[in-house]
Amino acid sequence: MAVRKEPSGRWRAVVKQGRRYVDGATFNTQREAKAWEQRQKAALAGAVDLAARKQPVRSLLLMWIEERKQTVATTTAHTDAAMIQRLSAAFTARAVGSVTDRDVQRVLNTWSGKYAEASVRRFRASLASFFGWCVSERCIESNPVSGSQVPRKDAEPGRMKPLTETELEQVAATIREFDERAADLVLIASWTGLRWSELRAITVADFSRVPVPVLVVRRAAPEGVAVKTTKGRRARTVPVADRVLRLVEACADGKAGDDPLFTSSTGARLHASGFKKAAHWKQSAKARRIHDLRHTAICLWLARGVDAATVQAWAGHASISTTNLYVQHLGTVADRAGLDRLNTPGHTGGTHGEEDGASNANTPGR
């Protein structure tokens, strides 16, 4: 290795292994050239192939994904593919050896502004696996993902946009003018709290009428992905309230046990794009997402006085803290009861019940 000054006044650093030329770079200052030289020395000491460091991320991703999909579950392979699709062209064009933890952190920050925290964590795990593979292939010395963190997203209750019962009925009535089944599905989703992927996966056999009408949620069927377990990775039971029992029974009529319970008005498998088109969603849904129907159900249960632990079980929340976000959004039953008491007419006295304007000898300052 050597650093020398070029006739142009810039500094040239050259790396060799024995007599074989490996790499070279030109810098504006001697300090930059020597720092680069030291990094190459460290890479050689770590048995890293310096030529491999210059390969673009894009080409290595293709090699990695081909090897990895033979050894991981289908859902993991889908996550890997989704992660690659979300990487920018500028990032994948970079030489793998030039990617730092700061570059990875910028990627995670960008993803965090677009996707849910759980999704970003899955993408980070895939990216970490890729760079770990690069380390094992002697392309880089260390994994740049190790020094990065997924930005935390506080699930603030204010971000929820559930419908009130009145708004729900208005939305359903508006959609019914365009498509009866779409309106029924809006009501069913808003009273059962099923995620869209769970709504697609429920079969007729999952609907039981005795001893009480319930839906057994065992699977999820995200669009474009194979059927998998629910988000909570365990089955749960969701009651079917009288308001939508007749609608669910109508969906089951004439179908076999293995048939999807909820289908479109033409009997086809549910797809969000088709559902939104049939429902004229943009003009009918009061600026809500389909997922807000799940928020609507959870808030509706709590507003009707169902305790948080039961709501947690119905919703399939892994932690009661998630359910409590909805409690904070609505206020507890005690909060509402206390407010009702405050608003009760006829009680205008102080804490000891004295009449308005009466003096209390024990009150300081009087």
Side-chain angles (χ1 to χ4, degrees):
M1 297 186 185
V3 174
R4 66 177 183 271
K5 192 171 185 178
E6 297 283 282
S8 64
R10 303 184 73 198
W11 294 84
R12 175 76 177 173
V14 175
V15 180
K16 291 183 178 180
Q17 282 183 321
R19 294 184 177 182
R20 182 173 66 88
Y21 173 86
V22 176
D23 202 1
T26 303
F27 301 90
N28 291 326
T29 67
Q30 185 182 32
R31 180 180 179 181
E32 291 174 329
K34 286 187 174 182
W36 181 84
E37 180 190 29
Q38 290 299 320
R39 289 197 297 272
Q40 308 318 304
K41 285 182 178 179
L44 284 175
V48 170
D49 186 341
L50 297 185
R53 283 172 54 90
K54 301 178 74 172
Q55 294 188 70
V57 171
R58 183 189 304 109
S59 62
L60 293 173
L61 279 169
L62 295 176
M63 297 168 59
W64 168 73
I65 198 74
E66 282 300 316
E67 289 186 20
R68 182 165 163 86
K69 69 182 182 182
Q70 306 298 328
T71 59
V72 297
T74 303
T75 52
T76 303
H78 281 297
T79 299
D80 294 339
M83 181 275 294
I84 293 174
Q85 290 176 352
R86 286 160 174 78
L87 289 172
S88 68
F91 183 88
T92 58
R94 295 275 300 272
V96 67
S98 71
V99 177
T100 67
D101 55 351
R102 290 187 179 183
D103 298 321
V104 173
Q105 189 62 59
R106 280 192 284 269
V107 170
L108 297 179
N109 292 345
T110 299
W111 284 345
S112 183
K114 297 179 179 179
Y115 311 112
E117 184 178 331
S119 298
V120 178
R121 291 190 181 281
R122 289 194 294 271
F123 295 153
R124 181 188 181 278
S126 289
L127 197 60
S129 176
F130 163 67
F131 280 108
W133 175 84
C134 290
V135 171
S136 67
E137 292 294 313
R138 298 173 52 210
C139 298
I140 53 177
E141 310 90 69
S142 60
N143 192 329
V145 180
S146 301
S148 66
Q149 292 184 342
V150 175
R152 289 191 61 82
K153 280 183 157 183
D154 295 327
E156 298 172 6
R159 293 183 182 179
M160 300 177 192
K161 293 187 68 176
L163 295 162
T164 65
E165 282 194 59
T166 301
E167 289 175 329
L168 172 60
E169 294 298 334
Q170 290 172 347
V171 168
T174 302
I175 293 176
R176 200 171 298 282
E177 297 176 7
F178 306 111
D179 190 293
E180 288 274 345
R181 178 53 59 84
D184 291 347
L185 291 173
V186 166
L187 290 169
I188 291 169
S190 298
W191 278 85
T192 62
L194 296 179
R195 301 178 178 93
W196 180 256
S197 59
E198 295 169 345
L199 203 70
R200 298 180 76 239
I202 291 282
T203 65
V204 174
D206 294 325
F207 175 40
S208 174
R209 296 172 176 83
V210 291
V212 293
V214 296
L215 293 171
V216 182
V217 187
R218 298 185 176 93
R219 299 166 295 275
E223 296 184 30
V225 178
V227 175
K228 60 180 184 178
T229 58
T230 62
K231 186 175 180 180
R233 301 187 182 278
R234 62 179 65 181
R236 70 180 192 277
T237 300
V238 178
V240 180
D242 289 344
R243 175 64 184 88
V244 294
L245 177 58
R246 179 183 57 81
L247 304 180
V248 175
E249 289 175 337
C251 290
D253 284 348
K255 293 180 180 177
D258 292 336
D259 291 340
L261 176 58
F262 303 117
T263 54
S264 69
S265 55
T266 61
R269 187 73 180 270
L270 291 178
H271 290 280
S273 58
F275 167 78
K276 288 181 178 179
K277 183 177 180 180
H280 292 247
W281 190 256
K282 283 189 176 180
Q283 68 186 79
S284 306
K286 296 184 181 291
R288 298 318 201 273
R289 305 165 301 161
I290 292 178
H291 193 67
D292 286 320
L293 302 180
R294 172 172 165 83
H295 294 323
T296 297
I298 296 171
C299 288
L300 188 153
W301 298 336
L302 290 167
R304 290 294 184 98
V306 180
D307 65 275
T310 301
V311 170
Q312 177 191 2
W314 290 356
H317 290 156
S319 170
I320 192 65
S321 63
T322 304
T323 310
N324 285 337
L325 293 174
Y326 295 85
V327 175
Q328 294 166 19
H329 179 74
L330 286 174
T332 64
V333 174
D335 290 333
R336 292 192 294 275
L339 184 60
D340 289 342
R341 185 174 180 83
L342 289 176
N343 292 332
T344 300
H347 183 73
T348 58
T351 56
H352 297 285
E354 67 271 17
E355 292 297 326
D356 193 25
S359 173
N360 188 333
N362 295 323
T363 303
R366 283 195 166 187

